[in-house]
Amino acid sequence: MEKKFIKLCGLVIFSLLVLAACGQAEDSTEGQREVGGDERTRIVIADAITTHHLNLYVAYELGFFEEAGLDVEILTLDDNAAARDAVVSGQADIFWSCPTIALAAIANGAPLTTVAQVKTPCTSVLAVPAHSDIESFADLAGRQIGGISPACEAVLALAVAARNEGVSFNLETLAGGPAIAALEAGQIEGALLEEPHASIAELAGFNLLFRDVSDAIPCRTINGRNVFVENNAEAMERFVAAVDRANAIINEDPTADEIVDIAVAHTGAPRDAVIHGNHRLIFHTDLAVDGLILLADELVYIGNIPENPGEAMFAEQLRGTTW
């Protein structure tokens, strides 16, 4: 009953947001303005800060967007859902998020499209106390495990691995920081954590398990409002190119002083955790099409979405560029 109620509330919220978005004028010049005689594109990015969005911050701080003729504004919000809602309602144009946030919204009718990948693989691991007796997926039977949500791709992957062993665990809905605190207090027996929280936990003496489960999962995606992407297709090509410039610099040396400085300045993450785990973030813009479609299958399985949108979730304007 609770799951159905939560899902119903989510659909009502999305319906209201979709109506708000549909009420906006679909102006073919949306986002365009003249700056110094040159036509430039203004892009507002809704962002829930995390080191997983480091390529956004690097492209912004190193001037790659500016050089590409893009006037980018970053609107900071509390979480991925808030970033999604800001784009659906027209307060912003683009958002970075966990793939299931955008995927579920698209499948439930929100006027969104997935433009590009941010990174792969997922870096989430299961953190357990050093004395824990959890060693295999079978050991998860009946355990209290902290995770961000039942629809999180890392939670889905661990649930599938446990299901394949004929067991299941109990999920406590907790974000990274609160999950570590609950683990320290003995309130849960394990916590699914992504960077930098995984490194924070490891540096604090917790063991990290099951990294191979997440290695095959697509991670963050870049998503946009349909109308904006359609009306600014050429600008989106330049946008992706600017992000790719940032990707190349980060991937070459993810713990370079300049990169770590930008990560810490934008996210407030502990410097030692960024240095410890930044090499695990592999940035690129090519969409993991097959993996994202498989994620959608799992969302259908748990009743989170009515059907798999398949390739319809991807921006047709970026076909040949990011997929």
Side-chain angles (χ1 to χ4, degrees), residues 83-116:
R84 172 205 63 201
D85 294 348
V87 173
V88 170
S89 64
Q91 299 173 63
D93 308 306
I94 302 292
F95 69 106
W96 265 241
S97 80
C98 294
T100 51
I101 294 288
L103 199 166
I106 292 168
N108 284 310
L112 299 173
T113 187
T114 295
V115 172

Side-chain angles (χ1 to χ4, degrees), residues 57-78:
Y57 313 139
V58 170
Y60 181 84
E61 292 295 343
L62 299 188
F64 297 158
F65 293 133
E66 179 70 20
E67 292 173 18
L70 308 171
D71 295 328
V72 168
E73 175 187 346
I74 299 176
L75 175 65
T76 300
L77 296 166
D78 290 337

Side-chain angles (χ1 to χ4, degrees), residues 21-69:
C22 290
Q24 297 173 9
E26 296 190 6
D27 186 354
S28 62
T29 61
E30 179 186 357
Q32 303 293 332
R33 67 188 181 92
E34 294 289 325
V35 178
D38 296 323
E39 189 177 77
R40 299 177 64 83
T41 302
R42 180 174 183 267
I43 302 178
V44 179
I45 299 174
D47 179 57
I49 57 173
T50 168
T51 56
H52 292 257
H53 303 172
L54 182 55
N55 53 358
L56 166 61
Y57 313 139
V58 170
Y60 181 84
E61 292 295 343
L62 299 188
F64 297 158
F65 293 133
E66 179 70 20
E67 292 173 18

Side-chain angles (χ1 to χ4, degrees), residues 113-202:
T113 187
T114 295
V115 172
Q117 203 74 41
V118 176
K119 51 177 282 292
T120 53
C122 174
T123 62
S124 293
V125 289
L126 183 69
V128 298
H131 57 75
S132 173
D133 61 353
I134 297 176
E135 297 178 353
S136 69
F137 299 125
D139 294 333
L140 293 171
R143 303 298 184 117
Q144 297 298 118
I145 304 297
I148 196 164
S149 85
C152 166
E153 63 271 20
V155 174
L156 289 173
L158 189 64
V160 168
R163 192 166 71 222
N164 289 341
E165 294 293 324
V167 303
S168 64
F169 54 85
N170 302 314
L171 183 71
E172 295 282 341
T173 303
L174 295 167
I180 293 176
L183 195 58
E184 291 173 334
Q187 297 168 348
I188 56 176
E189 297 169 89
L192 267 171
L193 304 172
E194 63 180 4
E195 293 298 333
H197 289 102
S199 285
I200 292 172
E202 188 170 32

